[in-house]
Amino acid sequence: MLLIATIDDALRKNLQQTLAEKGDTFVLLEEGENVIDAVFRHTPSLVVLDLYLSHPSGLDILRQLRAKGFSGKVVLLGGQSTQTLAPEACRLGAIQIVGRPFNASQVMGAVRVASGGLDQDTD
């Protein structure tokens, strides 16, 4: 199961379509939804967090997940400020940071890499 939390409505819609077509199990969350509760409720094998989530930020969510014992895989969706956040994100165990601008294909590529699925179909 994949859990994705992003502020980007268009990306969320594209990922929903892509994941549904592939038959993957997923949960998509938007700004304001409780990501931490959702992670522990759904126990995803991979979490994709947007660093631009606010109250708390994506990085704060990652900190809280780790503090509460979540040891799963995490991919971060970043942007211009990613360079300054990258050292802490790596220390907290982020497997990849995808910089903006990005699209659903790039995010799915990062998910495949993080999941160890490089040999899987890439369409």
Side-chain angles (χ1 to χ4, degrees), residues 23-82:
D24 293 337
T25 306
F26 61 92
V27 173
L28 293 175
L29 303 176
E30 57 189 74
E31 182 73 43
E33 293 192 65
N34 193 323
V35 176
I36 296 165
D37 286 349
V39 167
F40 287 103
R41 184 174 52 249
H42 297 288
T43 61
S45 58
L46 178 68
V47 174
V48 178
L49 279 176
D50 195 326
L51 285 173
Y52 288 102
L53 291 169
S54 59
H55 311 299
S57 72
L59 195 58
D60 286 337
I61 290 169
L62 179 54
R63 283 186 200 109
Q64 290 177 40
L65 286 172
R66 296 305 191 210
K68 292 179 181 223
F70 178 73
S71 60
K73 296 176 181 179
V74 176
V75 169
L76 296 177
L77 304 177
Q80 294 286 347
S81 63
T82 301

Side-chain angles (χ1 to χ4, degrees), residues 93-108:
I95 295 173
Q96 285 199 30
I97 302 173
V98 181
R100 280 184 168 80
F102 49 74
N103 59 38
S105 294
Q106 291 165 309
V107 173
M108 290 306 299

Side-chain angles (χ1 to χ4, degrees), residues 1-2 18-27 108 111 120:
M1 148 126 22
L2 178 62
T18 300
L19 292 164
E21 287 172 1
K22 291 183 174 278
D24 293 337
T25 306
F26 61 92
V27 173
M108 290 306 299
V111 165
Q120 293 177 7

